[in-house]
Amino acid sequence: MSWQAYTDNLIATGKLDKASIYGADGSLWSTSNNYQLSPQEINEIITGYSDPSNLYASGLHVQGQKNFCIKADSRSIYGKHDAEGVICVKSKQAVLIAHYPAGVQPGEAAKIVEQLADYLIGVGY
């Protein structure tokens, strides 16, 4: 399966409206609905896995929008802006980033992205 198929499958769930997959080095592997982050934004996320203090202090920025960081650990970073939010999950070699729109429960969106990360980890990515 191509990387593009993974982001397209996230969108196909109906719970997420934008998604991208980046390498652990910050390189873009695939994107759906033009969900691309600036180099500074992806670096902020990658750095946040080892030191989330800046995310909690300054917020999680994605496509120019500031999200309040509501969770940040060595695997997952969650951000929220009004009724929508961002889910970022790290696998061994990739970072999955997905956006859920208003009307979707954050837990439902997180479960979908976390399950894809579990799958990728299981197959060595």
Coordinates of all heavy atoms in Angstrom, one line a residue, residues 80-123:
K80 N -6.2 21.2 20.4 CA -7.6 21.6 20.2 C -7.7 23.1 20.0 O -7.1 23.9 20.6 CB -8.4 21.2 21.5 CG -9.9 21.3 21.4 CD -10.5 20.1 22.1 CE -12.0 20.2 22.1 NZ -12.6 20.0 20.8
H81 N -8.6 23.4 19.0 CA -8.9 24.8 18.7 C -10.5 24.9 18.5 O -11.0 24.3 17.6 CB -8.3 25.2 17.4 CG -8.6 26.6 17.0 ND1 -8.0 27.7 17.6 CD2 -9.5 27.2 16.2 CE1 -8.5 28.8 17.1 NE2 -9.4 28.5 16.2
D82 N -11.1 25.5 19.5 CA -12.6 25.5 19.5 C -13.1 24.1 19.5 O -12.8 23.3 20.3 CB -13.1 26.4 18.4 CG -12.8 27.9 18.6 OD1 -12.6 28.3 19.7 OD2 -12.6 28.6 17.6
A83 N -14.0 23.8 18.5 CA -14.6 22.5 18.4 C -13.8 21.5 17.5 O -14.3 20.4 17.3 CB -16.0 22.6 17.9
E84 N -12.7 21.9 17.0 CA -11.9 21.0 16.1 C -10.6 20.8 16.7 O -10.2 21.4 17.7 CB -11.8 21.6 14.7 CG -11.1 23.0 14.7 CD -11.2 23.7 13.4 OE1 -12.3 23.8 12.8 OE2 -10.1 24.1 12.9
G85 N -9.8 19.8 16.1 CA -8.5 19.5 16.8 C -7.6 18.8 15.8 O -7.9 18.4 14.7
V86 N -6.4 18.5 16.4 CA -5.3 17.9 15.7 C -4.8 16.7 16.5 O -4.6 16.8 17.7 CB -4.1 18.9 15.4 CG1 -3.0 18.2 14.7 CG2 -4.6 20.1 14.6
I87 N -4.6 15.6 15.8 CA -4.0 14.4 16.5 C -2.7 14.1 15.8 O -2.6 13.9 14.6 CB -4.9 13.2 16.3 CG1 -6.4 13.5 16.7 CG2 -4.4 11.9 17.0 CD1 -6.6 13.7 18.2
C88 N -1.6 14.0 16.5 CA -0.3 13.7 16.0 C 0.2 12.4 16.7 O 0.3 12.4 18.0 CB 0.7 14.8 16.2 SG 0.2 16.4 15.7
V89 N 0.6 11.4 16.0 CA 1.0 10.1 16.6 C 2.3 9.7 15.9 O 2.4 9.6 14.7 CB -0.1 9.0 16.6 CG1 0.4 7.8 17.3 CG2 -1.4 9.5 17.1
K90 N 3.3 9.3 16.7 CA 4.6 8.9 16.2 C 4.7 7.4 16.2 O 4.3 6.7 17.1 CB 5.7 9.5 17.0 CG 7.1 9.2 16.6 CD 8.1 9.9 17.4 CE 8.4 9.1 18.6 NZ 9.5 9.5 19.4
S91 N 5.1 6.8 15.1 CA 5.5 5.4 15.0 C 7.0 5.3 15.0 O 7.7 6.3 15.4 CB 4.9 4.8 13.7 OG 5.5 5.3 12.6
K92 N 7.6 4.2 14.6 CA 9.0 4.1 14.7 C 9.7 5.0 13.7 O 10.7 5.6 14.0 CB 9.4 2.6 14.3 CG 9.0 1.6 15.4 CD 9.4 0.2 15.0 CE 9.0 -0.8 16.0 NZ 9.3 -2.1 15.6
Q93 N 9.1 5.2 12.5 CA 9.8 6.0 11.4 C 8.9 7.1 10.9 O 9.4 7.9 10.1 CB 10.2 5.1 10.3 CG 11.1 4.0 10.6 CD 11.4 3.1 9.4 OE1 11.5 3.6 8.3 NE2 11.5 1.8 9.6
A94 N 7.7 7.3 11.4 CA 6.8 8.2 10.8 C 6.1 9.0 11.9 O 6.0 8.6 13.0 CB 5.8 7.5 9.9
V95 N 5.5 10.1 11.4 CA 4.6 10.9 12.3 C 3.3 11.1 11.5 O 3.3 11.7 10.4 CB 5.2 12.3 12.6 CG1 4.3 13.1 13.5 CG2 6.6 12.1 13.4
L96 N 2.2 10.7 12.1 CA 0.9 10.8 11.5 C 0.3 12.1 12.1 O 0.3 12.2 13.3 CB 0.0 9.6 11.8 CG 0.3 8.3 11.1 CD1 1.6 7.7 11.6 CD2 -0.8 7.3 11.3
I97 N -0.3 12.9 11.2 CA -0.9 14.1 11.7 C -2.3 14.2 11.0 O -2.4 14.1 9.8 CB -0.1 15.4 11.3 CG1 1.3 15.2 11.9 CG2 -0.7 16.7 11.8 CD1 2.3 16.2 11.4
A98 N -3.3 14.3 11.8 CA -4.7 14.4 11.2 C -5.5 15.4 11.9 O -5.3 15.7 13.1 CB -5.3 13.0 11.4
H99 N -6.4 16.0 11.2 CA -7.3 17.1 11.7 C -8.7 16.5 11.7 O -9.2 15.9 10.8 CB -7.2 18.3 10.8 CG -8.2 19.4 11.2 ND1 -9.5 19.4 10.7 CD2 -8.0 20.4 12.0 CE1 -10.0 20.5 11.2 NE2 -9.2 21.1 12.0
Y100 N -9.4 16.8 12.9 CA -10.8 16.4 12.9 C -11.7 17.7 13.0 O -11.3 18.7 13.7 CB -11.2 15.5 14.1 CG -10.9 16.0 15.5 CD1 -11.9 16.7 16.2 CD2 -9.6 15.8 16.1 CE1 -11.6 17.2 17.4 CE2 -9.4 16.3 17.3 CZ -10.4 17.0 18.0 OH -10.1 17.4 19.3
P101 N -12.8 17.7 12.3 CA -13.6 18.9 12.2 C -14.6 19.0 13.4 O -14.7 18.0 14.2 CB -14.4 18.8 10.9 CG -14.6 17.3 10.8 CD -13.3 16.7 11.4
A102 N -15.3 20.1 13.6 CA -16.3 20.3 14.6 C -17.4 19.2 14.4 O -17.7 18.8 13.2 CB -16.9 21.7 14.5
G103 N -17.9 18.7 15.4 CA -18.9 17.7 15.4 C -18.4 16.2 15.5 O -19.2 15.3 15.7
V104 N -17.1 16.1 15.5 CA -16.5 14.8 15.7 C -15.9 14.7 17.1 O -15.3 15.7 17.6 CB -15.3 14.5 14.7 CG1 -14.6 13.3 15.0 CG2 -15.9 14.5 13.3
Q105 N -16.2 13.6 17.8 CA -15.7 13.5 19.2 C -14.2 13.3 19.1 O -13.7 12.4 18.4 CB -16.3 12.3 19.9 CG -17.8 12.5 20.2 CD -18.0 13.6 21.2 OE1 -17.3 13.8 22.1 NE2 -19.0 14.5 20.9
P106 N -13.4 14.0 19.9 CA -11.9 13.9 19.9 C -11.5 12.4 20.1 O -10.5 12.0 19.4 CB -11.5 14.8 21.0 CG -12.5 15.8 21.2 CD -13.8 15.1 20.8
G107 N -12.1 11.7 21.0 CA -11.7 10.3 21.3 C -11.9 9.4 20.1 O -11.1 8.5 19.8
E108 N -12.9 9.6 19.3 CA -13.1 8.8 18.1 C -12.0 9.1 17.1 O -11.5 8.2 16.5 CB -14.5 9.2 17.4 CG -15.7 8.8 18.2 CD -17.0 9.2 17.5 OE1 -17.3 8.6 16.4 OE2 -17.6 10.2 17.9
A109 N -11.7 10.4 16.9 CA -10.6 10.7 15.9 C -9.3 10.2 16.4 O -8.5 9.6 15.6 CB -10.5 12.2 15.8
A110 N -9.0 10.3 17.7 CA -7.7 9.8 18.2 C -7.6 8.3 18.1 O -6.5 7.8 17.7 CB -7.6 10.2 19.7
K111 N -8.7 7.6 18.3 CA -8.6 6.1 18.2 C -8.2 5.7 16.8 O -7.4 4.8 16.6 CB -10.0 5.5 18.6 CG -10.0 4.0 18.5 CD -11.4 3.5 18.9 CE -11.4 2.0 18.8 NZ -12.7 1.4 19.2
I112 N -8.7 6.4 15.8 CA -8.4 6.0 14.4 C -7.0 6.2 14.1 O -6.3 5.3 13.5 CB -9.3 6.8 13.4 CG1 -10.8 6.4 13.6 CG2 -8.9 6.7 12.0 CD1 -11.8 7.4 13.0
V113 N -6.4 7.4 14.5 CA -5.0 7.7 14.2 C -4.1 6.8 15.0 O -3.1 6.2 14.5 CB -4.7 9.1 14.4 CG1 -3.3 9.5 14.1 CG2 -5.7 10.0 13.6
E114 N -4.4 6.5 16.3 CA -3.6 5.7 17.1 C -3.6 4.2 16.6 O -2.5 3.6 16.6 CB -4.2 5.7 18.6 CG -4.1 7.0 19.3 CD -2.7 7.4 19.9 OE1 -1.8 6.5 19.8 OE2 -2.6 8.5 20.4
Q115 N -4.7 3.7 16.1 CA -4.7 2.4 15.5 C -3.9 2.3 14.3 O -3.2 1.3 14.1 CB -6.2 2.0 15.2 CG -7.0 1.6 16.4 CD -8.4 1.3 16.1 OE1 -9.0 1.7 15.1 NE2 -9.0 0.5 17.0
L116 N -3.9 3.3 13.4 CA -3.0 3.3 12.2 C -1.5 3.3 12.7 O -0.7 2.5 12.1 CB -3.3 4.4 11.3 CG -2.4 4.5 10.1 CD1 -2.4 3.2 9.3 CD2 -2.8 5.7 9.2
A117 N -1.2 4.1 13.7 CA 0.2 4.1 14.2 C 0.6 2.7 14.7 O 1.7 2.2 14.5 CB 0.3 5.2 15.3
D118 N -0.4 2.1 15.5 CA -0.1 0.7 16.0 C 0.2 -0.3 14.9 O 1.1 -1.1 14.9 CB -1.3 0.2 16.8 CG -1.4 0.9 18.1 OD1 -0.5 1.5 18.6 OD2 -2.6 0.8 18.7
Y119 N -0.6 -0.2 13.8 CA -0.4 -1.0 12.6 C 1.0 -0.8 12.0 O 1.8 -1.7 11.7 CB -1.5 -0.8 11.6 CG -1.1 -1.5 10.3 CD1 -1.3 -2.9 10.1 CD2 -0.6 -0.8 9.2 CE1 -1.0 -3.5 9.0 CE2 -0.3 -1.4 8.0 CZ -0.5 -2.8 7.9 OH -0.1 -3.4 6.7
L120 N 1.3 0.5 11.8 CA 2.6 0.8 11.2 C 3.8 0.3 12.1 O 4.8 -0.2 11.6 CB 2.8 2.3 11.0 CG 1.8 2.9 9.9 CD1 1.9 4.4 9.8 CD2 2.1 2.2 8.5
I121 N 3.7 0.5 13.4 CA 4.7 0.0 14.3 C 4.8 -1.5 14.1 O 5.9 -2.1 14.1 CB 4.4 0.4 15.7 CG1 4.6 1.9 15.9 CG2 5.3 -0.4 16.7 CD1 4.0 2.5 17.2
G122 N 3.7 -2.2 14.0 CA 3.7 -3.6 13.9 C 4.4 -4.2 12.6 O 4.9 -5.3 12.6
V123 N 4.4 -3.3 11.6 CA 5.0 -3.8 10.3 C 6.4 -3.1 10.1 O 6.9 -3.1 9.0 CB 4.1 -3.5 9.1 CG1 2.8 -4.4 9.2 CG2 3.7 -2.0 8.9

